[in-house]
């Protein structure tokens, strides 16, 4: 059984750097340890909070009554077998991409600016530049307290920033099917995509990625918030990014409550001024849902 750590501040495990403690934290290194941790949570009556890089996660200031899970060692290892890349759920996208490139396999380039893990990518069906996890994923090893099962991509109900994974399921591993591509071409594509990102998004600030999903229609969530004059708007230590209005930056000393207050205000203004009800993309943990818009 993996060691259970108590009262670990989740601010340290998220890219925005805010949030209170989880009741407990486990760092399982293989599937057996993961199953044991899940049984511990069930026996203790704790919810589960798998945390990848915490790059689309906002944790409440008072923390969360859950067992947080960080997948380590075997559960974050990466190997290539022919045109299949097999990765632990805790493997970072950066490592997967580098291993794929070194093996002359393309297909993951779109993920170069998504600072998450394989498991977080499945849960969110993360994507960029017209591609998402559903384009490369073959199957995922899904683990619950009752055991493990490989689940094919077609059964994961992946759509725009959504998966049908049950809340108490953990992605312990994935298999991506990739395509042969010269490493130099992969490097060139990644360099171009990263440069584009740096021009348009606050990649050097502490954020949790997209605040809201893009609504249907031609105008993205960031543009709608920007049109309301909210770029640079600050509450406490949180600021709507002056570079891209669908990001909230921790400008120093931000709290989760500051971030939520900005989200509430942005949603209200976008509804009043553009008639669009924005839906959040960021995952909340230990936080109530945003107030209904009327
Ligand atoms: C600068 C920046 C740019 C970004 N750009 C993009 C982008 O272009 N496109 C995009 O889609 N996203 C983007 N994001 C958001 C984020 O990187 C993605 O959603 C990413 O897939 C989240 O992965 P993670 O491992 O960090 O998950 P976390 O943020 O840690 O968690 C997100 C959700 O996934 C769950 N989860 C994590 N690991 C597992 C697991 N192993 N099994 C089951 N559930 C799990 C968590 O419980 C939570 O519900 C960006 C974020 C930042 C900070």
């Amino acid at each position: 059984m993996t060691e259970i750590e108590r009262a670990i501040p989740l601010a340290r495990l998220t890219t925005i750097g805010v949030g209170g403690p989880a009741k407990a934290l486990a760092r399982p290194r293989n599937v057996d340890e993961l199953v044991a941790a899940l049984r511990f949570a069930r026996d203790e009556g704790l919810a589960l909070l798998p945390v990848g890089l915490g790059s689309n996660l906002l944790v409440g200031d008072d923390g969360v009554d859950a067992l947080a899970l960080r997948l380590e060692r075997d559960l974050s290892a990466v190997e290539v077998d022919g045109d299949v890349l097999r990765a632990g759920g805790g493997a970072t996208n950066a490592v997967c991409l580098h291993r794929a490139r070194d093996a002359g396999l393309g297909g993951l380039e779109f993920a170069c600016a998504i600072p998450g893990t394989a498991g977080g990518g499945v849960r969110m069906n993360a994507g960029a530049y017209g591609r998402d996890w559903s384009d490369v994923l073959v199957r995922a090893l899904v683990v619950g307290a009752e055991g493990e099962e490989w689940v094919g991509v077609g059964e994961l109900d992946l759509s725009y920033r959504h998966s049908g994974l049950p809340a108490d399921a953990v992605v312990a591993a994935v298999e991506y099917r990739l395509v042969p591509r010269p490493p130099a071409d992969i490097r060139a594509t990644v360099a171009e995509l990263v440069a584009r990102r740096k021009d348009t998004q606050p990649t050097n600030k502490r954020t949790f990625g997209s605040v809201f999903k893009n609504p249907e229609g031609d105008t993205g969530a960031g543009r709608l918030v920007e049109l309301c004059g909210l770029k640079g708007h600050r509450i406490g230590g949180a600021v709507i990014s002056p570079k891209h209005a669908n990001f909230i930056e921790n400008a120093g000393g931000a709290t989760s409550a500051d971030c939520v207050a900005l989200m509430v205000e942005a949603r209200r203004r976008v509804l009043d001024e553009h008639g669009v009800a924005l839906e959040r993309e960021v995952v909340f943990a230990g936080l109530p849902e945003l107030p209904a818009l009327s």
Side-chain angles (χ1 to χ4, degrees), residues 68-159:
L69 290 168
R70 285 284 292 241
L71 306 185
E72 300 197 342
R73 215 183 63 186
D74 302 4
L75 299 179
S76 62
V78 179
E79 63 178 27
V80 175
D81 180 5
D83 63 355
V84 171
L85 186 137
R86 199 169 293 120
T92 64
N93 301 335
V95 169
C96 292
L97 179 55
H98 288 163
R99 292 294 299 277
R101 187 196 62 201
D102 291 350
L105 292 173
L108 276 181
E109 294 86 333
F110 76 91
C112 64
I114 304 179
T117 61
V122 175
R123 167 77 65 189
M124 304 304 296
N125 189 25
Y129 309 112
R131 284 170 69 76
D132 61 30
W133 249 241
S134 69
D135 292 310
V136 287
L137 187 70
V138 179
R139 59 182 190 155
L141 180 63
V142 177
V143 177
E146 302 314 325
E148 59 189 88
E149 186 189 8
W150 280 100
V151 180
V153 62
E155 296 164 70
L156 286 166
D157 186 24
L158 300 182
S159 58

Side-chain angles (χ1 to χ4, degrees), residues 7-11 18-24 49 58-68 256 284-288:
I8 300 298
L10 290 176
V18 308
K23 200 94 171 174
L49 180 62
L58 184 63
V59 177
D61 297 314
D62 295 333
V64 52
D65 207 12
L67 173 68
S256 187
F284 277 5
L287 284 169

Side-chain angles (χ1 to χ4, degrees), residues 183-204:
D185 292 2
I186 295 172
R187 203 173 273 115
T189 300
V190 167
E192 193 228 310
L193 295 179
V194 168
R196 243 203 268 174
R197 276 290 167 122
K198 282 191 178 151
D199 279 350
T200 55
Q201 294 184 7
T203 51
N204 59 347

Side-chain angles (χ1 to χ4, degrees), residues 15 49-57 71 89-90 93 113-121 123-128 133 161 165 169-172 197 201-203 207-210 247 281 283:
T15 52
L49 180 62
V51 180
L53 291 188
S55 61
N56 208 198
L57 192 58
L71 306 185
N93 301 335
I114 304 179
T117 61
R123 167 77 65 189
M124 304 304 296
N125 189 25
W133 249 241
R161 303 301 171 267
L165 267 184
V170 179
V171 175
R197 276 290 167 122
Q201 294 184 7
T203 51
T207 73
F208 48 66
S210 294
F247 286 76
E281 178 169 324
V283 174

